[in-house]
Amino acid sequence: MTSPSLDVLAIGNAIVDVLARAEEDFLASHGMAKGGMTLIDEARAEAVYGAMGPGTEASGGSAANTAAGIASLGGKAGFIGKVRDDLLGSVFGHDIRAAGVAYATPAATDGPATARCLILVTADGERTMNTYLGAAQNLTTAEIDAAMVQCAKVTYLEGYLWDPPAAKAAFLEAARIAHGAGREVALTLSDAFCVDRYRAEFLDLIRSGTVDLVFCNEAELKSLYETADFDAALVALRKDAKQAVVTRSEKGASFVTPGAVVSVPARPVARVVDTTGAGDLFAAGFLVGHARGLDPATSLRLGALAAGEIISQMGARPQRSLLDLAREAGLIA
């Protein structure tokens, strides 16, 4: 087996966030539920985008945020995700490469536009999101770069992208290639509603060994096993999963296997500014430690450090070097 050149290859939705200030009456006039997230079609996306005030564009997407976090921690990350050859597609590609992530997925020359999340921020700081998934949902097996998968220690899959059948096939192909090369496959469950839709399929991925490492938060774990009892759900997860990471916000996080549970507390934060991307960055920190062969407790602390930093700022991409912070904390040499 050749030595891997990437620590993590992330596969997921390629989305550009467009943030703009808005008045309450703008939300009302466009029929938006304040504070919510609504999936919209392309026509609606173009209409809202055209009506919005001056916006700030920032690349997003759960797995892409994780890849950017890994790069900020000094890890070697790659990303596979689909955009269109339009303005926002160029923005996404520029941003993720500028973050130090290897990204070479060809842009679509036809079909839906690049995915975008139109975020209206009112004076009270509340964010109202309108998400058009567009080209991101058209990922197929053709976009799975076998060489990238084979050279990554871990291939990390985003549960949000389990909706489209073609993307599902792409995930399974990536897992097959990774295991064929002696690598690991990780899956983030992404969202409790996502788990509600695909509970049986996610459990099969875990139980069959298609996935070697699962990431979930407390709500996703309870949804997976259809119980309000966290401890009971954790017992069930330990029976099913080879390895799992469970995050519990201020209660800390745990790494679990059938034989052991390792837990660490949450990292103290002076002020929570924006929780967007907390789970994505926790995964980034843990994966860097895991890929480097660090012990589970240290890997969890790297995750807590990255998550703590991201909720102390606006946006889901690190504005400071996470590697510098990790070195200051004595977690990375």
Side-chain angles (χ1 to χ4, degrees), residues 153-154 184 213 243 255 285-294 299:
K153 289 182 183 177
V154 181
E184 281 188 288
L213 172 61
Q243 307 169 96
F255 173 74
F286 183 89
L287 284 166
V288 166
H290 182 74
R292 294 184 177 188
L294 302 182
S299 298

Side-chain angles (χ1 to χ4, degrees), residues 104-152:
T105 308
T109 55
D110 56 18
T114 296
R116 76 287 306 264
C117 183
L118 308 177
I119 305 174
L120 287 309
V121 184
T122 43
D124 59 0
E126 184 71 76
R127 295 150 70 93
T128 301
M129 297 181 284
N130 304 268
T131 304
Y132 167 61
L133 291 172
Q137 296 280 278
N138 284 350
L139 188 78
T140 70
T141 53
E143 279 78 51
I144 299 303
D145 184 330
M148 285 187 83
V149 177
Q150 290 164 347
C151 78

Side-chain angles (χ1 to χ4, degrees), residues 16-150:
V16 177
D17 294 337
V18 183
L19 297 96
R21 295 284 179 184
E23 300 296 330
E24 302 272 350
D25 58 4
F26 180 90
L27 304 184
S29 66
H30 287 82
M32 297 177 189
K34 183 180 175 182
M37 193 287 283
T38 305
L39 290 175
I40 57 174
D41 61 18
E42 186 166 1
R44 170 76 166 164
E46 293 296 340
V48 173
Y49 185 65
M52 289 169 65
T56 300
E57 293 164 352
S59 296
S62 175
N65 291 337
T66 296
I70 289 164
S72 183
L73 276 160
K76 295 176 181 177
F79 178 73
I80 293 175
K82 197 74 175 174
V83 297
R84 174 73 194 268
D85 61 347
D86 52 21
L87 175 60
L88 291 184
S90 297
V91 168
F92 181 89
H94 169 271
D95 285 359
I96 199 159
R97 293 186 189 105
V101 176
Y103 176 61
T105 308
T109 55
D110 56 18
T114 296
R116 76 287 306 264
C117 183
L118 308 177
I119 305 174
L120 287 309
V121 184
T122 43
D124 59 0
E126 184 71 76
R127 295 150 70 93
T128 301
M129 297 181 284
N130 304 268
T131 304
Y132 167 61
L133 291 172
Q137 296 280 278
N138 284 350
L139 188 78
T140 70
T141 53
E143 279 78 51
I144 299 303
D145 184 330
M148 285 187 83
V149 177
Q150 290 164 347

